[in-house]
Amino acid sequence: MDETRWGALKWGTYAYSFGHRLVVIRKARGYSQEVLAERSGLHRNQISNLERGTSNRAPHVADPLLSTVYRLAGALDVPPAYLLPDLRDPVATASFEQSSPAELSAVEEALRDLLDGQAD
């Protein structure tokens, strides 16, 4: 990991958390990557890279612009905060959401609950 770019922050864990949230919400909405790309004005490859937490450019870790986060949130009809990991905690070296499969499952359940609540 390029510590000159992100300091001691293990950005990859946050990128993967963001990607996991994006996949969960996209699938809950019933959208393919192609549909989300069309709705957001992004390219399908960009959606795929964000979901996998990867980038084609060194250091090969996704680092979306804030405008990208808002475009995705708008296309998914969710608040931008739904896409951002670990919002309730001070920034840690690594995303807590990536600490275990149980944490990933808890995120999925919480997101589905939030999305179900939106439908009411």
Side-chain angles (χ1 to χ4, degrees):
M1 185 71 48
D2 181 2
E3 291 203 13
T4 60
R5 182 169 182 176
W6 293 298
L9 184 68
K10 294 180 182 175
W11 177 250
T13 64
Y14 287 95
Y16 296 135
S17 292
F18 176 87
H20 181 249
R21 287 168 166 266
L22 182 57
V23 169
V24 169
I25 296 169
R26 176 179 61 77
K27 287 182 176 181
R29 291 290 192 236
Y31 297 161
S32 65
Q33 288 180 344
E34 291 82 7
V35 167
L36 180 56
E38 183 178 312
R39 290 178 56 91
S40 65
L42 301 172
H43 194 279
R44 194 214 50 88
N45 289 347
Q46 188 175 6
I47 302 295
S48 174
N49 286 347
L50 289 169
E51 288 184 352
R52 290 179 292 117
T54 63
S55 172
N56 295 330
R57 286 177 266 152
H60 305 290
V61 177
D63 193 4
L65 295 171
L66 188 57
S67 60
T68 300
V69 174
Y70 275 78
R71 288 167 71 176
L72 290 168
L76 293 164
D77 193 31
V78 297
Y82 284 19
L83 293 169
L84 300 174
D86 303 337
L87 280 183
R88 293 194 172 99
D89 301 309
V91 177
T93 302
S95 173
F96 183 73
E97 291 180 14
Q98 293 294 309
S99 63
S100 71
E103 288 304 321
L104 285 173
S105 294
V107 168
E108 290 176 21
E109 185 175 332
L111 284 171
R112 287 190 188 104
D113 289 346
L114 289 168
L115 294 170
D116 288 345
Q118 275 189 330
D120 296 338

